[in-house]
């Protein structure tokens, strides 16, 4: 199983949203990171076939997705950033409705819907109206509808936005549990959502591919750029104005500070191992 994206660009008039983007993906969870406006959502819509690239090709197992047509849609699951639902539908009725749109036979649809409601922890709420669901419950229902056709490619656009920490952890665990033998692309600007579960990180900036690799591989690109140490409160205030600070912790009259900088920010600062949040701040400090 391989998804091949070959030099795709997407232009809107004179504006280029995705620019000469190329990547090869096989089974695994891919965390797509980038600031707002980086082109993540446009890229995902290109992969789903909702949008067509201005130039370039997207292939699944060697065949262009536009030539695969219905066969490609049959192996695709998609949870858009603004997941649309019918508030007065019961959860089970909503899944049955989506299944009918996907052309899944009634008996198979009922069986699959019940199975997925159990998987996402909504089996006890299957006869409740969606309007009574919390944000996390709706997102879990969104995952269920995306998986009705047992997709080989699962696209998730900002799936944890607005969720509380407990629901975000539950959502991450759910994604991990369904990841076998699938290509899962999870777009987010919440770094912790992908740091724990992604096999590889894809960093996108200004419509272009910036980095791709494991967390260790991509964070190595800023090795030597992360510093930590203890300073006075007055020094901390000055350092915050001058540098990108990724962490501050007050302890009585002193402050532990972590800074992302290519140069040593203060005399006693020592280098430390970078994490994914440090990397995000380094590349997107002007956008955040």
């Amino acid at each position: 199983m391989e998804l091949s994206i070959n030099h795709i660009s997407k232009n809107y008039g004179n504006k280029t949203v995705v620019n000469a983007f190329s990547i090869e993906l096989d089974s695994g969870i891919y965390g797509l990171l980038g600031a707002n406006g980086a082109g993540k959502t446009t890229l995902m819509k290109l992969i789903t076939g909702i949008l067509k690239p201005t130039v370039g090709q997207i292939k699944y197992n060697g065949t262009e997705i536009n030539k695969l047509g219905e066969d490609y849609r049959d192996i695709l699951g998609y949870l858009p950033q603004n997941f649309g639902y019918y508030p007065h539908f019961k959860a089970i009725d909503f899944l049955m409705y989506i299944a009918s749109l996907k052309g899944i036979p009634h008996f198979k649809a009922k069986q699959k819907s019940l199975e997925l409601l159990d998987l996402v922890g909504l089996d006890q709420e299957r006869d409740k109206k969606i309007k009574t669901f919390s944000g996390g419950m709706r997102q879990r229902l969104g995952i269920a509808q995306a998986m009705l056709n047992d997709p080989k490619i699962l696209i998730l656009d900002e799936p944890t936005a607005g969720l509380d920490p407990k629901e975000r952890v539950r959502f991450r665990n759910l994604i991990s549990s369904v990841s076998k033998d699938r290509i899962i692309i999870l777009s987010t600007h919440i770094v912790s959502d992908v740091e724990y579960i992604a096999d590889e990180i894809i960093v996108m900036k200004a419509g272009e591919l910036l980095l791709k690799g494991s967390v260790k591989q991509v964070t190595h690109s800023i090795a030597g750029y992360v510093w930590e140490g203890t300073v006075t409160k007055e020094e901390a205030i000055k350092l915050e104005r001058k540098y990108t600070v990724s962490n501050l912790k007050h302890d009585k009259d002193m402050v532990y500070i972590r800074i992302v900088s290519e140069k040593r920010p203060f005399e006693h600062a020592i280098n430390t191992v970078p994490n994914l949040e440090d990397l995000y701040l380094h590349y997107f400090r002007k956008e955040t």
Side-chain angles (χ1 to χ4, degrees):
M1 177 168 51
E2 183 182 70
L3 185 67
S4 178
I5 301 172
N6 304 312
H7 301 287
I8 63 167
S9 294
K10 182 62 180 178
N11 302 331
Y12 292 102
N14 294 325
K15 185 177 181 181
T16 301
V17 182
V18 175
N19 186 33
F21 195 101
S22 295
I23 203 166
E24 304 283 336
L25 306 177
D26 52 21
S27 298
I29 302 176
Y30 297 87
L32 179 59
L33 283 181
N36 291 331
K40 303 188 305 293
T41 293
T42 299
L43 177 65
M44 296 184 117
K45 286 182 177 179
L46 289 165
I47 293 171
T48 61
I50 293 172
L51 295 176
K52 293 191 182 335
T54 306
V55 294
Q57 299 175 328
I58 300 174
K59 296 181 178 180
Y60 177 69
N61 289 343
T63 304
E64 287 185 54
I65 62 172
N66 62 321
K67 292 181 180 177
L68 288 169
E70 193 69 36
D71 289 339
Y72 183 66
R73 288 189 288 275
D74 285 345
I75 56 98
L76 190 68
Y78 180 42
L79 177 59
Q81 186 172 355
N82 298 307
F83 165 50
Y85 61 92
Y86 297 93
H88 295 286
F89 270 40
K90 296 176 182 178
I92 183 66
D93 294 338
F94 176 73
L95 290 186
M96 290 296 291
Y97 171 68
I98 297 297
S100 69
L101 295 180
K102 294 186 176 186
I104 301 172
H106 182 82
F107 174 75
K108 185 179 178 182
K110 187 66 175 287
Q111 186 179 31
K112 191 68 177 176
S113 295
L114 292 173
E115 176 188 316
L116 286 169
L117 285 169
D118 182 55
L119 177 68
V120 302
L122 293 175
D123 51 317
Q124 298 299 312
E125 287 79 22
R126 68 187 188 192
D127 291 319
K128 292 182 180 177
K129 292 184 177 181
I130 302 173
K131 68 178 182 179
T132 67
F133 285 9
S134 68
M137 292 166 72
R138 286 197 296 270
Q139 289 297 80
R140 281 185 272 140
L141 184 64
I143 279 286
Q145 65 82 28
M147 293 191 61
L148 279 166
N149 56 333
D150 196 22
K152 292 297 182 185
I153 300 174
L154 186 59
I155 309 290
L156 309 169
D157 193 0
E158 297 286 355
T160 59
L163 302 189
D164 64 36
K166 184 179 178 180
E167 280 287 8
R168 281 170 47 205
V169 170
R170 185 170 187 169
F171 197 92
R172 292 199 304 258
N173 293 341
L174 173 60
I175 299 307
S176 292
S177 72
V178 301
S179 63
K180 188 179 179 183
D181 298 325
R182 302 182 206 275
I183 295 171
I184 298 180
I185 304 173
L186 194 164
S187 166
T188 186
H189 61 275
I190 302 173
V191 173
S192 60
D193 286 340
V194 295
E195 187 154 24
Y196 299 112
I197 64 169
D199 299 301
E200 290 201 0
I201 304 296
I202 301 166
V203 183
M204 190 174 187
K205 184 171 185 177
E208 298 181 356
L209 176 64
L210 188 64
L211 295 166
K212 176 182 179 287
S214 66
V215 171
K216 186 175 181 179
Q217 287 170 331
V218 297
T219 54
H220 184 71
S221 70
I222 60 165
Y225 291 179
V226 183
W227 310 82
E228 64 181 4
T230 303
V231 297
T232 65
K233 290 181 180 179
E234 292 75 17
E235 286 176 303
I237 292 170
K238 292 177 182 177
L239 289 167
E240 273 194 283
R241 291 175 183 154
K242 190 174 181 181
Y243 295 100
T244 300
V245 175
S246 63
N247 194 23
L248 274 177
K249 185 177 180 181
H250 291 261
D251 183 13
K252 297 180 181 177
D253 294 329
M254 302 300 286
V255 178
Y256 162 79
I257 193 165
R258 184 182 180 101
I259 289 173
V260 183
S261 169
E262 295 180 21
K263 297 178 181 178
R264 187 187 298 272
F266 56 95
E267 185 179 354
H268 302 296
I270 59 172
N271 268 136
T272 188
V273 178
N275 58 35
L276 206 55
E277 189 171 73
D278 296 322
L279 177 130
Y280 188 95
L281 289 171
H282 175 72
Y283 285 112
F284 303 109
R285 56 192 161 202
K286 291 181 181 178
E287 289 93 336
T288 54

